[in-house]
Coordinates of all heavy atoms in Angstrom, one line a residue:
M51 N 7.7 -56.6 21.4 CA 6.6 -56.4 20.4 C 6.8 -55.0 19.8 O 7.1 -54.0 20.5 CB 5.3 -56.5 21.2 CG 4.1 -56.2 20.3 SD 2.6 -56.6 21.3 CE 1.5 -55.4 20.5
N52 N 6.6 -54.9 18.5 CA 6.7 -53.7 17.8 C 5.4 -53.0 17.7 O 4.5 -53.6 17.1 CB 7.3 -53.9 16.4 CG 7.5 -52.7 15.6 OD1 7.1 -51.6 16.0 ND2 8.0 -52.8 14.4
D53 N 5.2 -51.9 18.4 CA 3.9 -51.3 18.3 C 3.8 -50.1 17.4 O 2.9 -49.3 17.4 CB 3.4 -50.8 19.7 CG 4.4 -49.9 20.4 OD1 5.4 -49.6 19.8 OD2 4.2 -49.6 21.6
K54 N 4.8 -49.9 16.5 CA 4.7 -48.9 15.5 C 3.7 -49.3 14.4 O 3.6 -50.5 14.1 CB 6.1 -48.7 14.8 CG 7.2 -48.1 15.6 CD 8.4 -48.0 14.7 CE 9.5 -47.3 15.5 NZ 10.8 -47.2 14.8
P55 N 2.9 -48.3 13.9 CA 2.0 -48.6 12.9 C 2.7 -49.0 11.6 O 3.8 -48.5 11.3 CB 1.2 -47.3 12.7 CG 2.1 -46.2 13.3 CD 2.9 -46.9 14.3
N56 N 2.1 -50.0 10.9 CA 2.7 -50.4 9.6 C 2.6 -49.3 8.6 O 1.6 -48.6 8.5 CB 2.0 -51.6 9.1 CG 2.3 -52.9 9.9 OD1 3.4 -53.0 10.5 ND2 1.4 -53.8 9.9
P57 N 3.7 -49.0 7.8 CA 3.6 -48.0 6.8 C 2.4 -48.5 5.8 O 2.4 -49.6 5.4 CB 4.9 -48.1 6.1 CG 5.8 -48.6 7.1 CD 5.0 -49.6 7.9
T58 N 1.6 -47.5 5.5 CA 0.5 -47.8 4.6 C 0.2 -46.7 3.7 O 0.3 -45.5 4.0 CB -0.8 -48.0 5.5 OG1 -0.6 -49.0 6.4 CG2 -2.0 -48.3 4.7
L59 N -0.1 -47.0 2.4 CA -0.5 -46.0 1.4 C -2.0 -46.0 1.4 O -2.6 -47.0 1.1 CB 0.1 -46.4 0.1 CG 1.6 -46.6 0.0 CD1 2.1 -46.8 -1.4 CD2 2.3 -45.4 0.6
L60 N -2.6 -44.9 1.8 CA -4.0 -44.7 1.7 C -4.4 -44.1 0.4 O -4.0 -43.0 0.1 CB -4.4 -43.8 2.9 CG -4.0 -44.2 4.3 CD1 -4.4 -43.1 5.3 CD2 -4.7 -45.5 4.7
V61 N -5.0 -44.9 -0.4 CA -5.4 -44.5 -1.8 C -6.9 -44.1 -1.8 O -7.7 -45.0 -1.5 CB -5.1 -45.6 -2.8 CG1 -5.5 -45.2 -4.2 CG2 -3.6 -46.0 -2.7
C62 N -7.1 -42.9 -2.1 CA -8.5 -42.5 -2.2 C -9.2 -43.1 -3.5 O -8.7 -43.0 -4.6 CB -8.6 -41.0 -2.4 SG -10.3 -40.4 -2.7
T63 N -10.3 -43.9 -3.2 CA -11.0 -44.5 -4.3 C -12.4 -43.9 -4.3 O -13.3 -44.5 -4.9 CB -11.0 -46.0 -4.2 OG1 -11.5 -46.4 -2.9 CG2 -9.6 -46.6 -4.4
H64 N -12.6 -42.8 -3.7 CA -13.9 -42.2 -3.7 C -14.4 -41.9 -5.1 O -13.6 -41.4 -5.9 CB -13.9 -40.9 -2.8 CG -15.3 -40.3 -2.7 ND1 -16.2 -40.8 -1.8 CD2 -15.8 -39.2 -3.2 CE1 -17.3 -40.1 -1.9 NE2 -17.1 -39.1 -2.7
R65 N -15.6 -42.2 -5.4 CA -16.2 -42.0 -6.7 C -17.5 -41.3 -6.6 O -18.4 -41.7 -5.9 CB -16.4 -43.4 -7.4 CG -16.9 -43.3 -8.8 CD -17.1 -44.7 -9.3 NE -15.8 -45.5 -9.4 CZ -15.1 -45.6 -10.6 NH1 -15.5 -45.0 -11.7 NH2 -14.0 -46.3 -10.6
R66 N -17.6 -40.2 -7.3 CA -18.9 -39.5 -7.4 C -19.5 -39.7 -8.8 O -18.9 -39.4 -9.8 CB -18.6 -38.0 -7.2 CG -18.3 -37.6 -5.8 CD -18.3 -36.0 -5.7 NE -17.5 -35.6 -4.6 CZ -16.2 -35.4 -4.5 NH1 -15.6 -35.5 -5.7 NH2 -15.6 -35.1 -3.4
L67 N -20.6 -40.3 -8.8 CA -21.3 -40.6 -10.1 C -21.6 -39.3 -10.8 O -22.1 -38.3 -10.2 CB -22.5 -41.4 -9.8 CG -22.3 -42.8 -9.3 CD1 -23.6 -43.5 -9.0 CD2 -21.5 -43.6 -10.2
G68 N -21.2 -39.2 -12.0 CA -21.6 -38.0 -12.8 C -20.7 -36.8 -12.6 O -21.0 -35.8 -13.1
A69 N -19.7 -36.9 -11.8 CA -18.9 -35.8 -11.4 C -17.5 -36.0 -11.9 O -17.0 -37.1 -11.9 CB -18.9 -35.5 -9.9
T70 N -16.8 -34.9 -12.2 CA -15.4 -35.0 -12.5 C -14.7 -34.7 -11.2 O -15.2 -34.1 -10.3 CB -15.0 -34.0 -13.6 OG1 -15.3 -32.7 -13.1 CG2 -15.7 -34.3 -14.9
G71 N -13.4 -35.0 -11.2 CA -12.6 -34.7 -10.0 C -12.6 -35.6 -8.9 O -12.2 -35.2 -7.8
S72 N -13.1 -36.8 -9.1 CA -13.1 -37.8 -8.0 C -12.0 -38.8 -8.3 O -11.8 -39.2 -9.5 CB -14.4 -38.4 -7.7 OG -14.8 -39.2 -8.8
C73 N -11.3 -39.3 -7.3 CA -10.2 -40.2 -7.5 C -10.6 -41.5 -8.2 O -9.9 -42.0 -9.0 CB -9.4 -40.4 -6.2 SG -8.7 -38.9 -5.5
G74 N -11.7 -42.0 -7.7 CA -12.2 -43.3 -8.3 C -12.4 -43.2 -9.8 O -12.1 -44.1 -10.5
A75 N -13.0 -42.1 -10.2 CA -13.2 -41.9 -11.6 C -11.9 -41.7 -12.4 O -11.9 -41.8 -13.6 CB -14.1 -40.7 -11.8
G76 N -10.9 -41.4 -11.7 CA -9.6 -41.1 -12.3 C -8.6 -42.3 -12.4 O -7.5 -42.1 -12.8
G77 N -9.1 -43.5 -11.9 CA -8.3 -44.7 -12.0 C -7.5 -45.1 -10.8 O -6.6 -45.8 -10.8
S78 N -8.0 -44.6 -9.6 CA -7.3 -45.0 -8.4 C -7.4 -46.4 -8.0 O -6.5 -46.9 -7.3 CB -7.7 -44.1 -7.2 OG -9.1 -44.2 -7.0
E79 N -8.4 -47.2 -8.4 CA -8.4 -48.6 -8.1 C -7.3 -49.3 -8.9 O -6.6 -50.2 -8.3 CB -9.8 -49.2 -8.5 CG -10.8 -48.6 -7.5 CD -12.3 -49.0 -8.0 OE1 -12.5 -49.6 -9.0 OE2 -13.2 -48.6 -7.2
E80 N -7.0 -48.9 -10.1 CA -5.9 -49.5 -10.9 C -4.6 -49.1 -10.2 O -3.6 -49.9 -10.2 CB -5.9 -49.0 -12.3 CG -7.1 -49.5 -13.1 CD -8.4 -48.8 -12.9 OE1 -8.5 -47.8 -12.1 OE2 -9.4 -49.2 -13.5
L81 N -4.5 -47.9 -9.7 CA -3.3 -47.4 -9.0 C -3.1 -48.3 -7.8 O -1.9 -48.7 -7.5 CB -3.5 -46.0 -8.5 CG -2.5 -45.4 -7.6 CD1 -1.1 -45.3 -8.3 CD2 -2.9 -44.0 -7.1
S82 N -4.1 -48.6 -7.0 CA -3.9 -49.5 -5.8 C -3.4 -50.8 -6.2 O -2.4 -51.3 -5.6 CB -5.3 -49.7 -5.1 OG -5.8 -48.5 -4.5
D83 N -3.9 -51.4 -7.3 CA -3.4 -52.7 -7.7 C -1.9 -52.6 -8.1 O -1.1 -53.5 -7.8 CB -4.2 -53.2 -8.9 CG -5.7 -53.6 -8.5 OD1 -5.9 -53.8 -7.3 OD2 -6.5 -53.6 -9.4
A84 N -1.6 -51.6 -8.9 CA -0.2 -51.4 -9.3 C 0.8 -51.2 -8.1 O 1.9 -51.7 -8.1 CB -0.1 -50.2 -10.3
L85 N 0.3 -50.4 -7.2 CA 1.2 -50.2 -6.0 C 1.4 -51.5 -5.2 O 2.5 -51.8 -4.8 CB 0.5 -49.2 -5.1 CG 0.5 -47.7 -5.6 CD1 -0.4 -46.8 -4.7 CD2 1.9 -47.1 -5.6
R86 N 0.3 -52.3 -5.1 CA 0.5 -53.6 -4.4 C 1.5 -54.4 -5.1 O 2.4 -55.1 -4.4 CB -0.9 -54.3 -4.3 CG -1.8 -53.7 -3.3 CD -3.1 -54.5 -3.1 NE -4.0 -53.9 -2.2 CZ -5.0 -53.2 -2.5 NH1 -5.4 -53.0 -3.7 NH2 -5.7 -52.6 -1.5
L87 N 1.5 -54.5 -6.4 CA 2.4 -55.3 -7.1 C 3.8 -54.8 -7.0 O 4.8 -55.5 -6.8 CB 2.1 -55.3 -8.6 CG 0.8 -56.1 -9.0 CD1 0.4 -55.9 -10.5 CD2 1.0 -57.6 -8.7
G88 N 4.0 -53.4 -7.1 CA 5.3 -52.8 -6.9 C 5.9 -53.0 -5.5 O 7.1 -53.2 -5.4
I89 N 5.1 -52.9 -4.5 CA 5.5 -53.1 -3.1 C 5.9 -54.5 -2.9 O 7.0 -54.8 -2.3 CB 4.4 -52.6 -2.2 CG1 4.2 -51.1 -2.2 CG2 4.6 -53.1 -0.8 CD1 3.0 -50.6 -1.6
A90 N 5.1 -55.4 -3.4 CA 5.5 -56.9 -3.2 C 6.8 -57.2 -4.0 O 7.6 -57.9 -3.5 CB 4.3 -57.7 -3.8
A91 N 6.9 -56.6 -5.2 CA 8.1 -56.9 -6.0 C 9.4 -56.5 -5.3 O 10.5 -57.0 -5.4 CB 8.0 -56.3 -7.4
R92 N 9.3 -55.4 -4.5 CA 10.4 -54.9 -3.7 C 10.6 -55.4 -2.3 O 11.5 -55.1 -1.6 CB 10.3 -53.3 -3.6 CG 10.5 -52.6 -4.9 CD 10.0 -51.2 -4.8 NE 10.3 -50.4 -6.1 CZ 9.5 -50.4 -7.1 NH1 8.5 -51.2 -7.2 NH2 9.9 -49.7 -8.2
G93 N 9.6 -56.3 -1.9 CA 9.7 -56.9 -0.6 C 9.5 -55.9 0.5 O 10.0 -56.1 1.6
L94 N 8.8 -54.8 0.2 CA 8.5 -53.8 1.3 C 7.4 -54.3 2.1 O 6.5 -55.0 1.7 CB 8.2 -52.5 0.6 CG 9.3 -51.9 -0.3 CD1 8.7 -50.7 -1.0 CD2 10.5 -51.5 0.6
G95 N 7.3 -53.9 3.3 CA 6.2 -54.3 4.2 C 5.1 -53.2 4.3 O 4.5 -53.1 5.3
W96 N 4.9 -52.5 3.2 CA 3.9 -51.5 3.2 C 2.5 -52.1 2.9 O 2.4 -52.9 2.0 CB 4.2 -50.4 2.2 CG 5.5 -49.7 2.4 CD1 6.4 -49.8 3.4 CD2 6.1 -48.8 1.4 NE1 7.5 -49.0 3.2 CE2 7.3 -48.3 2.0 CE3 5.7 -48.2 0.2 CZ2 8.1 -47.4 1.3 CZ3 6.5 -47.3 -0.4 CH2 7.7 -46.9 0.1
G97 N 1.5 -51.5 3.5 CA 0.2 -51.9 3.1 C -0.4 -50.9 2.1 O 0.2 -49.8 1.9
V98 N -1.4 -51.3 1.5 CA -2.2 -50.4 0.6 C -3.7 -50.5 1.0 O -4.2 -51.6 1.0 CB -2.1 -50.7 -0.9 CG1 -2.9 -49.8 -1.8 CG2 -0.6 -50.6 -1.3
T99 N -4.3 -49.4 1.4 CA -5.6 -49.4 1.8 C -6.4 -48.4 1.0 O -6.0 -47.2 0.9 CB -5.7 -49.0 3.3 OG1 -5.0 -50.0 4.1 CG2 -7.2 -49.0 3.8
E100 N -7.5 -48.9 0.5 CA -8.4 -47.9 -0.3 C -9.2 -47.2 0.7 O -9.8 -47.8 1.7 CB -9.2 -48.7 -1.3 CG -8.3 -49.4 -2.3 CD -8.9 -50.3 -3.3 OE1 -10.1 -50.6 -3.1 OE2 -8.3 -50.7 -4.2
T101 N -9.3 -45.9 0.5 CA -10.0 -45.1 1.5 C -10.9 -44.1 0.9 O -11.0 -44.0 -0.4 CB -8.9 -44.4 2.4 OG1 -9.6 -43.7 3.5 CG2 -8.2 -43.3 1.6
G102 N -11.6 -43.3 1.7 CA -12.5 -42.3 1.2 C -11.8 -41.0 0.9 O -10.5 -41.0 0.9
C103 N -12.5 -40.0 0.6 CA -12.0 -38.7 0.2 C -11.0 -38.1 1.1 O -11.2 -38.1 2.3 CB -13.2 -37.7 0.0 SG -12.7 -36.1 -0.6
L104 N -9.9 -37.7 0.5 CA -8.8 -37.1 1.3 C -8.8 -35.6 1.2 O -7.9 -34.9 1.8 CB -7.4 -37.6 0.8 CG -7.1 -39.1 1.0 CD1 -5.9 -39.5 0.2 CD2 -7.0 -39.5 2.4
G105 N -9.8 -35.0 0.5 CA -10.0 -33.6 0.5 C -9.2 -32.8 -0.5 O -9.1 -31.6 -0.4
H106 N -8.7 -33.5 -1.5 CA -7.9 -32.8 -2.6 C -8.4 -33.3 -3.9 O -7.7 -33.6 -4.8 CB -6.4 -33.2 -2.4 CG -5.8 -32.7 -1.1 ND1 -5.3 -31.4 -1.0 CD2 -5.7 -33.3 0.0 CE1 -4.8 -31.3 0.3 NE2 -5.1 -32.4 0.9
C107 N -9.7 -33.4 -4.0 CA -10.4 -34.0 -5.2 C -10.0 -33.5 -6.5 O -9.8 -34.3 -7.5 CB -11.9 -33.9 -5.0 SG -12.5 -34.2 -3.3
L108 N -9.8 -32.3 -6.7 CA -9.5 -31.7 -8.0 C -8.0 -32.0 -8.4 O -7.7 -31.8 -9.6 CB -9.7 -30.2 -8.0 CG -11.2 -29.8 -7.9 CD1 -11.3 -28.3 -7.9 CD2 -12.0 -30.4 -9.0
H109 N -7.2 -32.6 -7.6 CA -5.8 -32.9 -7.9 C -5.6 -34.4 -7.9 O -4.4 -34.8 -7.8 CB -4.9 -32.2 -6.9 CG -5.2 -30.7 -6.8 ND1 -4.9 -29.8 -7.8 CD2 -5.8 -30.0 -5.8 CE1 -5.3 -28.6 -7.4 NE2 -5.8 -28.7 -6.3
G110 N -6.6 -35.2 -7.9 CA -6.5 -36.6 -7.8 C -6.1 -37.3 -9.1 O -6.0 -36.6 -10.1
P111 N -6.0 -38.6 -9.0 CA -6.1 -39.4 -7.8 C -5.0 -39.1 -6.8 O -3.8 -38.8 -7.2 CB -5.9 -40.9 -8.4 CG -6.3 -40.8 -9.8 CD -5.9 -39.4 -10.3
N112 N -5.4 -39.2 -5.5 CA -4.5 -38.8 -4.4 C -4.2 -40.0 -3.5 O -5.0 -40.9 -3.4 CB -5.2 -37.8 -3.5 CG -5.4 -36.5 -4.3 OD1 -4.5 -35.9 -4.8 ND2 -6.7 -36.2 -4.4
L113 N -3.0 -40.0 -3.0 CA -2.7 -41.0 -1.9 C -2.0 -40.3 -0.8 O -1.3 -39.3 -1.0 CB -1.9 -42.2 -2.5 CG -0.4 -42.0 -2.9 CD1 0.5 -42.0 -1.7 CD2 0.0 -43.1 -3.8
K114 N -2.1 -40.9 0.4 CA -1.5 -40.4 1.6 C -0.6 -41.5 2.2 O -1.1 -42.6 2.3 CB -2.5 -40.0 2.7 CG -2.0 -39.8 4.1 CD -1.5 -38.5 4.3 CE -1.1 -38.3 5.8 NZ 0.2 -37.7 5.9
A115 N 0.6 -41.2 2.4 CA 1.5 -42.1 3.0 C 1.5 -42.0 4.5 O 1.7 -40.9 5.0 CB 3.0 -41.9 2.5
A116 N 1.0 -43.0 5.2 CA 0.9 -42.9 6.6 C 1.7 -44.0 7.4 O 1.9 -45.1 6.8 CB -0.6 -43.2 7.0
P117 N 2.3 -43.7 8.5 CA 2.2 -42.4 9.2 C 3.2 -41.4 8.6 O 4.3 -41.8 8.1 CB 2.5 -42.7 10.6 CG 3.5 -43.9 10.5 CD 3.1 -44.6 9.2
N118 N 3.0 -40.1 8.9 CA 3.9 -39.0 8.7 C 4.4 -38.8 7.3 O 5.5 -38.2 7.1 CB 5.2 -39.3 9.6 CG 4.8 -39.5 11.0 OD1 3.9 -38.8 11.6 ND2 5.5 -40.4 11.7
G119 N 3.7 -39.3 6.3 CA 4.1 -39.1 4.9 C 3.4 -38.0 4.2 O 2.4 -37.5 4.8
P120 N 3.8 -37.8 3.0 CA 3.1 -36.8 2.2 C 1.8 -37.2 1.6 O 1.5 -38.4 1.5 CB 4.1 -36.5 1.1 CG 4.8 -37.8 0.9 CD 4.9 -38.4 2.3
I121 N 1.0 -36.3 1.2 CA -0.1 -36.6 0.3 C 0.4 -36.3 -1.1 O 1.0 -35.2 -1.4 CB -1.3 -35.7 0.6 CG1 -1.9 -36.0 1.9 CG2 -2.4 -35.8 -0.5 CD1 -3.1 -35.2 2.3
L122 N 0.3 -37.3 -2.0 CA 0.7 -37.2 -3.4 C -0.5 -37.0 -4.3 O -1.5 -37.7 -4.1 CB 1.6 -38.4 -3.8 CG 2.8 -38.6 -2.9 CD1 3.6 -39.9 -3.3 CD2 3.7 -37.4 -2.9
H123 N -0.3 -36.2 -5.3 CA -1.4 -35.9 -6.2 C -1.2 -36.4 -7.6 O -0.1 -36.6 -8.0 CB -1.6 -34.3 -6.2 CG -1.8 -33.7 -4.9 ND1 -2.9 -33.8 -4.1 CD2 -0.9 -32.9 -4.2 CE1 -2.7 -33.1 -3.0 NE2 -1.5 -32.6 -3.0
D124 N -2.3 -36.5 -8.3 CA -2.2 -36.9 -9.7 C -1.4 -38.2 -9.9 O -0.6 -38.3 -10.8 CB -1.6 -35.7 -10.6 CG -1.8 -35.9 -12.1 OD1 -2.8 -36.6 -12.4 OD2 -1.0 -35.4 -12.9
C125 N -1.8 -39.1 -9.1 CA -1.1 -40.4 -9.1 C -1.8 -41.4 -10.0 O -3.0 -41.6 -9.9 CB -1.1 -41.0 -7.7 SG -0.3 -40.0 -6.4
R126 N -1.1 -41.9 -10.9 CA -1.7 -42.9 -11.9 C -1.0 -44.2 -11.8 O 0.2 -44.3 -11.4 CB -1.5 -42.3 -13.3 CG -1.9 -40.9 -13.5 CD -3.3 -40.7 -13.7 NE -3.7 -39.3 -13.7 CZ -4.9 -38.9 -13.8 NH1 -5.9 -39.7 -13.8 NH2 -5.2 -37.6 -13.7
A127 N -1.7 -45.3 -12.2 CA -1.1 -46.6 -12.2 C 0.2 -46.7 -12.9 O 1.2 -47.3 -12.4 CB -2.1 -47.6 -12.8
E128 N 0.3 -46.0 -14.0 CA 1.6 -46.0 -14.7 C 2.8 -45.3 -14.0 O 3.9 -45.5 -14.4 CB 1.4 -45.5 -16.2 CG 1.0 -44.1 -16.2 CD -0.5 -43.9 -16.3 OE1 -1.3 -44.7 -15.8 OE2 -0.9 -42.9 -17.0
H129 N 2.4 -44.6 -13.0 CA 3.4 -43.9 -12.2 C 3.8 -44.7 -10.9 O 4.6 -44.2 -10.1 CB 2.9 -42.5 -11.7 CG 2.5 -41.6 -12.8 ND1 1.6 -40.6 -12.6 CD2 2.9 -41.5 -14.1 CE1 1.4 -40.0 -13.8 NE2 2.2 -40.5 -14.7
S130 N 3.3 -45.9 -10.7 CA 3.4 -46.5 -9.4 C 4.8 -46.8 -9.0 O 5.2 -46.6 -7.9 CB 2.6 -47.8 -9.4 OG 3.1 -48.7 -10.4
D131 N 5.7 -47.2 -10.0 CA 7.1 -47.4 -9.6 C 7.8 -46.2 -9.2 O 8.5 -46.1 -8.2 CB 7.8 -48.1 -10.8 CG 7.5 -49.5 -11.0 OD1 7.1 -50.2 -10.0 OD2 7.5 -50.0 -12.2
A132 N 7.5 -45.1 -9.9 CA 8.1 -43.8 -9.6 C 7.6 -43.3 -8.2 O 8.3 -42.7 -7.4 CB 7.8 -42.8 -10.7
L133 N 6.3 -43.5 -7.9 CA 5.8 -43.1 -6.6 C 6.4 -43.9 -5.5 O 6.8 -43.3 -4.5 CB 4.3 -43.4 -6.6 CG 3.4 -42.5 -7.5 CD1 2.0 -43.0 -7.7 CD2 3.4 -41.1 -7.0
I134 N 6.6 -45.2 -5.7 CA 7.3 -46.0 -4.6 C 8.7 -45.5 -4.5 O 9.2 -45.4 -3.3 CB 7.2 -47.5 -5.0 CG1 5.8 -48.0 -4.9 CG2 8.1 -48.3 -4.1 CD1 5.6 -49.4 -5.5
E135 N 9.4 -45.3 -5.5 CA 10.8 -44.8 -5.4 C 10.9 -43.4 -4.7 O 11.8 -43.2 -3.9 CB 11.5 -44.7 -6.8 CG 11.6 -46.1 -7.5 CD 12.5 -47.1 -6.7 OE1 13.5 -46.7 -6.0 OE2 12.1 -48.3 -6.6
R136 N 9.9 -42.6 -5.1 CA 9.9 -41.3 -4.4 C 9.7 -41.4 -2.9 O 10.4 -40.8 -2.1 CB 8.8 -40.4 -5.0 CG 8.6 -39.1 -4.3 CD 7.6 -38.2 -4.9 NE 7.3 -37.1 -4.1 CZ 6.5 -36.1 -4.3 NH1 5.8 -36.2 -5.5 NH2 6.3 -35.1 -3.5
L137 N 8.8 -42.3 -2.5 CA 8.5 -42.5 -1.1 C 9.7 -43.2 -0.4 O 10.1 -42.8 0.7 CB 7.3 -43.4 -0.9 CG 6.0 -42.6 -1.3 CD1 4.8 -43.5 -1.3 CD2 5.7 -41.5 -0.3
L138 N 10.4 -44.1 -1.1 CA 11.6 -44.7 -0.5 C 12.7 -43.7 -0.2 O 13.4 -43.8 0.8 CB 12.1 -45.8 -1.5 CG 11.4 -47.2 -1.4 CD1 11.9 -48.0 -2.6 CD2 11.6 -47.9 -0.1
A139 N 12.8 -42.7 -1.1 CA 13.8 -41.7 -0.9 C 13.4 -40.6 0.1 O 14.3 -40.0 0.7 CB 14.0 -41.0 -2.3
G140 N 12.1 -40.4 0.3 CA 11.8 -39.3 1.2 C 10.8 -39.5 2.3 O 10.4 -38.5 2.9
W141 N 10.3 -40.7 2.5 CA 9.3 -40.9 3.5 C 10.0 -41.4 4.8 O 10.6 -42.5 4.8 CB 8.3 -42.0 3.0 CG 7.2 -42.3 3.9 CD1 6.7 -41.6 4.9 CD2 6.3 -43.4 3.7 NE1 5.6 -42.2 5.5 CE2 5.3 -43.3 4.8 CE3 6.3 -44.5 2.9 CZ2 4.3 -44.3 4.9 CZ3 5.3 -45.4 3.0 CH2 4.3 -45.3 4.0
P142 N 10.0 -40.7 5.8 CA 10.8 -41.0 7.0 C 10.1 -42.1 7.9 O 9.8 -41.9 9.1 CB 10.9 -39.7 7.8 CG 9.6 -39.0 7.4 CD 9.3 -39.4 6.0
V143 N 9.8 -43.3 7.3 CA 9.3 -44.4 8.1 C 10.4 -45.4 8.2 O 11.2 -45.6 7.3 CB 8.0 -45.0 7.5 CG1 6.9 -44.0 7.6 CG2 8.2 -45.5 6.2
K144 N 10.4 -46.1 9.3 CA 11.3 -47.3 9.4 C 10.5 -48.5 9.7 O 10.1 -48.8 10.8 CB 12.3 -47.0 10.6 CG 13.0 -45.7 10.5 CD 14.0 -45.8 9.4 CE 14.8 -44.5 9.3 NZ 15.2 -44.1 8.0
P145 N 10.2 -49.3 8.6 CA 9.4 -50.5 8.7 C 10.0 -51.5 9.7 O 11.2 -51.5 9.8 CB 9.2 -51.0 7.3 CG 9.8 -50.0 6.4 CD 10.6 -49.0 7.2
Ligands
FES437 S1 -12.2 -37.8 -4.2 FE1 -10.2 -38.3 -3.8 S2 -9.5 -36.7 -2.5 FE2 -11.6 -36.3 -2.8

C-alpha cells in the first residue's frame, strides 16, 4: 500500500466581497478548471483542491503545491500550462 499523500495543487479561491487582492476575485476558479484540464491531458495523478486563503492575498491568485512544493503567485488560467511545466521541472514529488 502506498501511503504517500497524492500530489495536490491547492488553489486559493477565497473571495472578499468589495475588496481587491483576493484570489477568487482574480480568476482562481478559472485557474482551477484550466489546471484540471492540463493535468488530465498530461496523465498526471495530481489533484486540484480549491482552498481558503494562503496568506499571500496581494500577490494572487496563489496556489500551493503539496506536499513540499512552492507557493506560486500571480497564477492565471492562461498560465496553467506553464505552471504545470514549471512544477514538473522543479517539484520534488514522486507520484
Ligand atoms: S485570498 Fe488568496 S491568498 Fe489570501
Side-chain angles (χ1 to χ4, degrees):
M51 181 173 148
N52 182 356
D53 57 1
K54 288 183 180 176
N56 289 332
T58 301
L59 305 184
L60 303 172
V61 178
C62 172
T63 55
H64 186 74
R65 182 182 295 265
R66 287 189 200 89
L67 294 177
T70 59
S72 65
C73 297
S78 60
E79 291 169 0
E80 293 81 0
L81 171 65
S82 292
D83 292 342
L85 288 168
R86 286 186 180 100
L87 290 173
I89 288 166
R92 289 167 175 81
L94 300 171
W96 301 354
V98 177
T99 299
E100 296 175 352
T101 189
C103 183
L104 296 170
H106 298 272
C107 316
L108 295 179
H109 307 289
N112 299 298
L113 71 82
K114 163 84 174 134
N118 304 321
I121 294 178
L122 302 179
H123 307 290
D124 195 25
C125 301
R126 311 281 173 182
E128 61 267 29
H129 304 153
S130 61
D131 285 332
L133 291 165
I134 292 168
E135 295 302 322
R136 176 176 170 181
L137 289 168
L138 281 170
W141 185 15
V143 295
K144 303 294 181 212

